[in-house]
Amino acid sequence: MNNSILNIAFIGNYLPRQCGIATFTTSLCEAVSAAHPGLSCFAVPITDISEGYEYSSRVRFEIEEKNLDSYRQAADFLNSNNPDIVCLQHEYGIFGGEDGIFILSLIRKLRMPIVTTLHTITQNPTGKQRRILAEIAERSSFVVVMTEKAVELISTVYAVPLSKIRLIPHGIPEMPFIDPSFYKAQYDMADKTVLLTFGLLSPNKGIEQVIRALPEIIKTRPETVYIVLGATHPGLVRHEGETYRLWLQQLAADLHVEKHVLFRNRFVAPDELKEFLVMADIYITPYLYEEQITSGTLAYSFGIGNAIISTPYWHAAELLADGRGILVPFRDPAAIAKAVIHLASNEGERNTMRKNAFLSGREMTWPTVARKYVDLFTEARLTYHSVLSPDQSARSMRGPVGARLGSLFSAEEQNELPRLKLDHIKRLTDDTGMFQHAVYTLPNYNEGYCSDDNARALILMVLLAAQAEKADPELDRLAGIYLRLLHFAFDESSGRFRNFLKYDRTWVDEAASEDSHGRVVWALGTCLGRYANPGYQGAAATLFETGLPVVTRFSSPRAWAFSIIAIHEYLRRFPGDRLVDGIREELSLRLFALYQAAETTDWPWFETYLSYDNAKLSHALILSGNDTGNQAMLDAGLRSLTWLMETQTSPQGHFRPVGSDRVYNKGEPMPLYDQQPLEANSAVSACLEAYRVTGDLFWHREAHRAFRWYLGGNDLSLFVFDAATGGCHDGLHVDRINQNEGAESTLAFHISLSEMKEADKNLLLEEPPEAQAAGAEKGAGGTL
C-alpha cells in the first residue's frame, strides 16, 4: 500500500439501515480498515427517514436523502476533512431528486479522487439516467463493476472508457467449507432438505415462484422445507406495509404447503446468516427480471459453497456458468421443481457443485476484495487530476415440519399480522365524532355521523388502551370524542340512543334501531369493564345504567347479543351487580329459547335466515353459557358457530361470509356478494371467544382463517385492508373491491386486528402434532 493513503471516506447507505447497499458499504469499510489498520476510514451515509439511524462511530456526517442542501453541506464537510479518497456507492434510488440527481451536487464540489462502485446498470436507461451515470463516471478516477456483463454495458451503453473500468467481485464473508449437517442438528433440521432464499423481501424477488413449485417438490421430497430469510424492504413497508409477505403466506396456505414454508421476518446479522447459508442444501434466487447486474445474496451463497438454482438474470448467468449452478427460466415453477428434485436426489452432483462454487469464491472474500480496493485507491491517488472543474456541468409452522422449529421460528413470524396504523381512523374523526362514510378515503360530510360507528370506535380505543404498555394520550383523546358523541346521542325522553347525526350536529328525525342502541350499550359496558380513565368510566356508568334496562323491551336478537357481551365486559370489573346479572340471565334465556325453537339438524341456527353480524349471536350464547355454567347453552353456542363457519367456507377452504345483496333464507342459494368486513370481524371475535372458553386450537385457527379474509384470503384474492392508508375497503363486489373506506369497515378490521394480536400474544405454546389431528375433527357442543 502506498503510504500516501491515510484517510478514506465511504459514501453510501450504512448499517443499521436495512438494505443491500448498506450491508455492502459497511462490509467494505470494515474490511478495508481491518486489512490496513493504519488507515482511517469513515462513512457518510444517506439517511432516508427523519428519525435517522443508530449509526456506529464510523459515521461522521449524515446526508438527508431528499434535502439538496444536505448534499452540498456534505461536500463542504469532505473538503474540510480532506480524505485521500472518496469511495462512492451508486444506485439511482438511494439519492434524492429524480433518478438520484442530487448526488451530482456533491461530487461536483469534491477536491479529491473518487472511486465509484456501480450497483445498478440498466441496458435501456432514460436520457437523464444516462447523463447522470456518464457524469459520475467522468468525475471518478475509476468505476468499479462486479461482472463482465457490467463491463460490457458501462463501456458500450454509457461510453465509459475501458481504462476507467475495474472489475472487482462482490465481497463475501470468509468461511470454511462446511457440510450442511453441521448446523442442521442445531436447528432440529437434521432430517430435512432445506431450500433457502434470503435478502430483503420485495415483489421482484419472485418468492412466489418457489412456493408454487413446492406442491410438486413435496410429492417426491416431502421432507423439504423452504426458508424465506429476511425482513421486508423498509421502503416497501412504509408504503405498502407487509402486503407482499402476507400475500406469500396466503399463497402458501392456498396451495396447502404452509407447513413447508418458514418465514424469518427480520434483518439477519452476518454471523447468523452464515449459519443459515451453511444449513441450506439448495439456495434459490428466483428473481423475475433479467436486468440485475449484481446480487449480493447470490454472491454470499455462492462463495460459501451452496448448490444454487437461479433464474438467468445477468449476475447469475455469469456466476453459475460451467457447472457452478443450475439456471431455470423466469417465472417457471415447474422448472424450479424439476431442478430441486434433481439436485436433492443426487447428493454427489450437489456436492460437486458446492465445491466448484466454494473454490471459485475464494477470490471474493472480503479481505481479498478489500486489498483490491486499496490497490485501486492507491492508483487513483497517484494518477489523480481534476478532469472537470468543480463548477463544470457534465456533458451528458406449523404441523409435522413446523412443530419442530419452534425455537427457530416464532409463531408471530409464521402467522404475521399487519402493524397497527390509525391514520385513516384519525382522518375520519373530527371534534364531533367519527364520520360514518367515506368517498374513497375522504370523509363524506353529507352522511354525517352515527352512534353505531362511534360505539365501535370507542370499543377499539378501549381495547388498544388495555393492550398498551403505558397510557397513550392520543387514544385517550379519541376515546373522549367518541364517548362524548354517545352521550349527546342519548334521548332522555325516550330512554333510547339516537343513531344518525347530521354534519350540522342535528339529529335525523327517525326512530333509532334496537341494534344501534344495543351496540352503544356494548361500547359502554366495554368502557366500564376495561378502561382505566375514571372520568370516562363515570360518564359511561350513567349512560349504561340508564340504557341497559331498556333492552329487555327489545325484540331484536342482535340487540340482546350486543347487550350480553356488554354485560360480560361490565361484570369483569363489577361482578357483584345483581341487577345487571339478572338482565343477563333474562336476555340469555331469550336468545337460547330462540335457538331451540328454530334449530333443525341441517340448520342449527337462531333464525330461519342469516342476515348480518351473524356470529355475534353465537358469541353471546358462548359467553353466557360459560359465565353462568349453563352447559346446554354453551354447547348450543359452539354448535351454531361451528355450522356458521362451515357455511361460510368456500370450496377452496377460505372464509366466505354471507353476502349482503339479500337475506340468506333457509332453503335458498346463499348470496355470495357483497361481502362485508363486519362479518369477518364478528367471526374472528366469536371464534376467539370459543378458543378462550374451550382451549381448542381449532378455534384459534378458524379466527386466523376469518382474519385472512381482509388480507387476500377471499374469493377475489384481493386485499380488503388498505396498508397504505390504514383503512379498510367497504367490501367485495362480485368482480372488484369497493373503493370506499368507511368507518364500519375500517373499525371492523382494526377491532379484529387488536383481538388477534392479543390472542396470539397469549398463545404461548406451540401446538403438538396430535392436537392438530384432534382439532381437525370439527364436532358439536363442548367436545370440539
Side-chain angles (χ1 to χ4, degrees):
M1 181 188 75
N2 190 299
N3 290 329
S4 65
I5 301 288
L6 299 175
N7 195 1
I8 304 172
F10 292 84
I11 301 176
N13 297 348
Y14 210 84
L15 295 179
R17 181 170 174 176
Q18 297 180 7
C19 76
I21 291 183
T23 301
F24 183 94
T25 311
T26 306
S27 298
L28 178 58
C29 180
E30 295 300 328
V32 168
S33 180
H36 302 282
L39 282 176
S40 172
C41 299
F42 68 94
V44 178
I46 297 86
T47 299
D48 62 334
I49 54 176
S50 58
E51 60 269 30
Y53 297 96
E54 291 293 329
Y55 291 120
S56 71
S57 58
R58 289 269 185 219
V59 172
R60 295 281 308 281
F61 189 99
E62 292 181 54
I63 300 172
E64 297 172 30
E65 178 186 325
K66 300 183 186 304
N67 183 350
L68 179 58
D69 286 338
S70 185
Y71 291 80
R72 295 167 177 154
Q73 292 161 0
D76 293 338
F77 172 83
L78 289 167
N79 287 331
S80 174
N81 284 269
N82 196 28
D84 299 305
I85 293 284
V86 165
C87 183
L88 171 68
Q89 310 305 310
H90 180 265
E91 184 175 19
Y92 293 108
I94 70 172
F95 304 111
E98 185 180 354
D99 292 324
I101 197 170
F102 285 1
I103 189 61
L104 297 182
S105 297
L106 190 159
I107 65 173
R108 286 171 181 167
K109 297 182 69 176
L110 293 181
R111 298 193 295 267
M112 69 286 296
I114 303 168
V115 172
T116 299
T117 303
L118 301 178
H119 292 262
T120 298
I121 305 172
T122 60
Q123 189 168 24
N124 298 294
T126 65
K128 177 171 284 188
Q129 289 173 337
R130 183 183 283 108
R131 289 191 296 271
I132 290 171
L133 199 55
E135 181 173 349
I136 290 172
E138 192 162 15
R139 292 185 179 276
S140 300
S141 297
F142 296 100
V143 293
V144 177
V145 296
M146 305 183 206
T147 63
E148 292 286 355
K149 180 69 174 180
V151 173
E152 173 193 335
L153 288 177
I154 195 66
S155 61
T156 57
V157 178
Y158 298 87
V160 176
L162 287 172
S163 60
K164 270 200 168 189
I165 304 170
R166 294 291 186 272
L167 197 163
I168 301 178
H170 194 296
I172 62 170
E174 222 172 8
M175 187 81 178
F177 188 69
I178 302 175
D179 189 87
S181 61
F182 185 84
Y183 286 114
K184 279 187 176 183
Q186 177 178 324
Y187 290 117
D188 292 329
M189 301 187 75
D191 57 343
K192 305 295 181 250
T193 295
V194 178
L195 313 181
L196 175 68
T197 298
F198 89 90
L200 294 173
L201 243 63
S202 61
N204 65 327
K205 296 297 179 66
I207 305 299
E208 66 274 13
Q209 305 301 318
V210 184
I211 294 176
R212 289 182 175 129
L214 282 174
E216 187 64 25
I217 293 169
I218 61 180
K219 288 179 185 177
T220 304
R221 310 289 301 194
E223 80 287 356
T224 300
V225 178
Y226 179 39
I227 300 175
V228 181
L229 180 65
T232 304
H233 196 288
L236 191 66
V237 171
R238 284 195 293 273
H239 292 99
E240 300 179 19
E242 290 286 356
T243 300
Y244 179 58
R245 182 184 297 274
L246 293 167
W247 177 74
L248 291 175
Q249 291 175 339
Q250 182 60 47
L251 176 64
D254 290 343
L255 296 175
H256 308 294
V257 296
E258 66 272 20
K259 296 174 183 177
H260 298 267
V261 183
L262 302 172
F263 291 91
R264 184 74 164 178
N265 183 13
R266 61 187 179 82
F267 195 72
V268 184
D271 287 342
E272 187 179 11
L273 174 58
K274 292 177 186 177
E275 296 179 359
F276 277 93
L277 287 170
V278 169
M279 185 170 60
D281 294 290
I282 301 171
Y283 185 81
I284 307 179
T285 54
Y287 298 168
L288 300 180
Y289 303 103
E290 183 183 39
E291 289 195 9
Q292 177 145 352
I293 201 65
T294 185
S295 167
T297 61
L298 177 67
Y300 273 44
S301 60
F302 180 87
I304 217 162
N306 282 130
I308 300 173
I309 296 170
S310 178
T311 50
Y313 54 91
W314 288 333
H315 192 188
E318 186 172 314
L319 194 62
L320 302 182
D322 301 323
R324 294 189 294 266
I326 294 179
L327 297 175
V328 295
F330 295 104
R331 296 179 173 84
D332 194 340
I336 293 173
K338 182 179 179 181
V340 168
I341 293 169
H342 174 77
L343 271 186
S345 304
N346 291 274
E347 185 176 4
E349 180 178 342
R350 191 171 70 247
N351 287 336
T352 298
M353 187 180 294
R354 292 184 61 236
K355 290 174 183 175
N356 289 339
F358 181 81
L359 292 173
S360 298
R362 292 316 85 207
E363 290 299 306
M364 299 166 59
T365 62
W366 276 119
T368 300
V369 167
R371 284 193 294 271
K372 291 181 179 180
Y373 267 93
V374 171
D375 289 344
L376 187 59
F377 295 159
T378 301
E379 185 178 357
R381 178 70 173 171
L382 292 174
T383 60
Y384 172 69
H385 60 93
S386 182
V387 179
L388 298 177
S389 61
D391 60 346
Q392 182 181 359
S393 298
R395 295 186 297 267
S396 328
M397 184 157 300
R398 306 173 83 80
V401 174
R404 300 182 61 188
L405 303 173
S407 62
L408 180 58
F409 299 97
S410 69
E412 185 179 44
E413 288 172 333
Q414 294 306 313
N415 219 337
E416 289 181 86
L417 299 171
R419 294 178 181 176
L420 179 68
K421 185 173 185 178
L422 299 181
D423 298 35
H424 191 55
I425 287 174
K426 295 177 184 179
R427 185 181 300 114
L428 292 179
T429 301
D430 67 3
D431 59 356
T432 297
M434 190 171 188
F435 292 99
Q436 61 175 324
H437 293 299
V439 180
Y440 290 84
T441 60
L442 296 177
N444 188 343
Y445 292 177
N446 293 326
E447 300 294 336
Y449 319 83
C450 70
S451 299
D452 261 339
D453 291 333
N454 281 270
R456 293 185 180 99
L458 178 59
I459 290 170
L460 175 61
M461 295 305 115
V462 171
L463 294 179
L464 294 177
Q467 293 172 8
E469 295 180 359
K470 60 181 180 180
D472 187 334
E474 182 65 4
L475 295 179
D476 222 36
R477 182 187 73 83
L478 292 169
I481 291 173
Y482 307 136
L483 180 58
R484 190 166 61 232
L485 187 140
L486 299 182
H487 194 276
F488 183 40
F490 187 69
D491 180 10
E492 292 186 5
S493 63
S494 65
R496 300 277 294 274
F497 292 98
R498 294 165 289 202
N499 195 21
F500 297 110
L501 179 66
K502 297 179 182 178
Y503 184 54
D504 64 4
R505 298 189 181 183
T506 60
W507 291 98
V508 175
D509 188 18
E510 63 177 49
S513 73
E514 293 181 356
D515 289 1
S516 67
H517 183 102
R519 194 170 282 107
V520 173
V521 170
W522 172 21
L524 296 171
T526 304
C527 183
L528 284 165
R530 299 196 188 208
Y531 214 16
N533 186 314
Y536 291 178
Q537 281 190 344
T542 302
L543 294 175
F544 184 78
E545 182 179 346
T546 309
L548 177 62
V550 179
V551 180
T552 60
R553 304 199 296 267
F554 290 173
S555 59
S556 165
R558 282 162 185 76
W560 303 342
F562 298 149
S563 299
I564 289 169
I565 297 170
I567 292 169
H568 170 81
E569 295 290 341
Y570 172 83
L571 291 177
R572 287 160 55 113
R573 180 166 285 181
F574 307 105
D577 193 323
R578 298 182 62 188
L579 175 63
V580 172
D581 194 36
I583 294 174
R584 172 175 63 182
E585 182 178 7
E586 179 180 348
L587 296 178
S588 300
L589 290 173
R590 282 193 206 174
L591 190 61
F592 187 29
L594 187 73
Y595 174 83
Q596 291 173 312
E599 176 193 23
T600 62
T601 302
D602 62 338
W603 190 274
W605 194 244
F606 301 81
E607 300 158 318
T608 58
Y609 57 86
L610 291 172
S611 57
Y612 87 106
D613 223 356
N614 297 297
K616 276 289 177 280
L617 303 181
S618 301
H619 186 170
L621 214 56
I622 291 168
L623 274 177
S624 287
N626 186 63
D627 288 349
T628 63
N630 188 326
Q631 188 64 43
M633 187 180 292
L634 173 60
D635 288 350
L638 292 168
R639 193 158 55 246
S640 65
L641 183 59
T642 300
W643 174 81
L644 180 63
M645 293 303 291
E646 289 175 344
T647 300
Q648 298 187 125
T649 297
S650 75
Q652 295 75 32
H654 59 254
F655 182 70
R656 174 190 279 170
V658 174
S660 62
D661 283 351
R662 60 176 172 81
V663 169
Y664 175 24
N665 291 303
K666 181 179 179 181
E668 295 179 355
M670 176 176 140
L672 301 183
Y673 300 96
D674 294 343
Q675 296 177 19
Q676 301 293 307
L678 183 65
E679 299 309 314
N681 172 219
S682 63
V684 167
S685 298
C687 289
L688 289 178
E689 192 57 51
Y691 168 65
R692 282 188 285 268
V693 167
T694 66
D696 190 338
L697 284 164
F698 163 74
W699 289 113
H700 192 274
R701 292 195 295 275
E702 284 293 272
H704 265 286
R705 186 169 67 88
F707 185 79
R708 286 197 297 270
W709 180 87
Y710 295 109
L711 308 176
N714 53 55
D715 284 336
L716 300 185
S717 297
L718 295 175
F719 267 60
V720 186
F721 165 57
D722 186 343
T725 67
C728 182
H729 294 284
D730 281 350
L732 285 182
H733 299 310
V734 66
D735 58 348
R736 65 192 188 281
I737 283 281
N738 185 321
Q739 293 298 327
N740 297 327
E741 299 180 9
E744 178 184 290
S745 305
T746 297
L747 291 166
F749 169 78
H750 280 286
I751 290 172
S752 296
L753 177 61
S754 67
E755 291 177 330
M756 290 302 303
K757 284 183 178 290
E758 183 68 18
D760 281 4
K761 185 179 73 173
N762 293 331
L763 186 65
L764 299 180
L765 299 177
E766 277 288 329
E767 175 186 3
E770 58 270 18
Q772 295 189 23
E777 298 293 330
K778 294 183 284 186
T783 60
L784 292 174

